[in-house]
Amino acid sequence: GIVVQDIGIALLSDMLSNIITADKETHAHIAVVTSFARQFADDYAGFSPRKNKTLFTKYGIEPPQAKLIPQEKQALFHTLLFDYFMSVKQYLIQQHKGMHK
């Protein structure tokens, strides 16, 4: 690739956290954040689809651990994404209430 993997991952992590932090009020970049979350949430935040968790539990298989970024950084992204989507939820609730007035 053009950028070394470690530098690329750090760069992408920084950009994503800056976008999420700056976008908690307007949610102008929700398409970027949701697209990233759909594709890379398991690697960056430790999220995995509920269906996968169910299958791992059903068959007694240990889910694979993403080794792309350290666990501490995954925990930070987990919290960052969770907080962002909670702010989106509150924003949508307010918009919905505003439409019914």
Side-chain angles (χ1 to χ4, degrees):
I2 297 172
V3 179
V4 180
Q5 183 176 355
D6 293 340
I7 295 171
I9 291 170
L11 195 66
L12 184 59
S13 299
D14 289 343
M15 289 301 297
L16 183 65
S17 61
N18 288 339
I19 288 171
I20 291 173
T21 303
D23 198 40
K24 285 189 179 178
E25 297 295 321
T26 61
H27 304 101
H29 301 292
I30 191 168
V32 173
V33 176
T34 55
S35 177
F36 183 86
R38 286 183 56 89
Q39 297 299 318
F40 302 108
D42 54 339
D43 294 327
Y44 271 81
F47 293 132
S48 63
R50 189 172 299 154
K51 183 178 179 181
N52 290 0
K53 287 182 182 181
T54 304
L55 290 172
F56 287 136
T57 304
K58 179 179 178 180
Y59 293 107
I61 300 171
E62 186 68 29
Q65 297 296 319
K67 296 178 182 159
L68 195 59
I69 62 172
Q71 290 285 340
E72 306 85 43
K73 196 138 186 150
Q74 274 190 355
L76 291 173
F77 270 106
H78 184 279
T79 304
L80 192 64
L81 285 171
F82 183 79
D83 290 345
Y84 181 76
F85 287 117
M86 290 305 289
S87 73
V88 169
K89 175 183 156 186
Q90 291 299 334
Y91 175 76
L92 291 174
I93 289 171
Q94 288 174 355
Q95 292 296 313
H96 187 320
K97 286 180 181 177
M99 288 173 57
H100 288 287
K101 286 185 178 182

